[in-house]
Amino acid sequence: MISNFEVDLNCPACFDDLIAALRHHESVTEVHASLAGGCVAVVHDGDEGRLAAVITDAAHRLVVADNAEIVQGRLHPAPSRSCHTHR
């Protein structure tokens, strides 16, 4: 099964951590991702909800708080119809 997720990440290091976490998940066989496109495509056997939880746990985004301080914000992956990646 292939599941695509929109991920609004703005940190390349965090994006790499996310890809590594997905690749280490027992149900995942392949991960294709695009930071510029804001998406990941995951080939897996299992529950899509578990993968969304892996994404939420492994990644965060940088946001500007009300006091103008840059802080970590929680990432909320959204299912997507496709993920265009560069090879």
Side-chain angles (χ1 to χ4, degrees):
M1 161 187 286
I2 299 174
S3 295
N4 297 297
F5 296 94
E6 290 179 16
V7 290
D8 188 17
L9 283 171
N10 51 10
C11 171
C14 299
F15 196 69
D16 289 343
D17 290 346
L18 169 60
I19 293 168
L22 286 168
R23 286 187 174 148
H24 284 99
H25 193 271
E26 66 272 359
S27 72
V28 173
T29 55
E30 292 180 51
V31 177
H32 303 279
S34 171
L35 178 61
C39 63
V40 293
V42 184
V43 179
H44 64 98
D45 298 321
D47 182 23
E48 192 174 84
R50 286 182 147 191
L51 293 179
V54 169
I55 293 169
T56 300
D57 290 345
H60 65 273
R61 53 181 274 100
L62 300 177
V63 295
V64 178
D66 292 338
N67 65 356
E69 182 179 0
I70 296 175
V71 298
Q72 291 182 359
R74 192 160 178 93
L75 179 69
H76 300 286
S80 175
R81 289 184 171 210
S82 65
C83 179
H84 300 286
T85 60
H86 300 281
R87 295 186 186 230

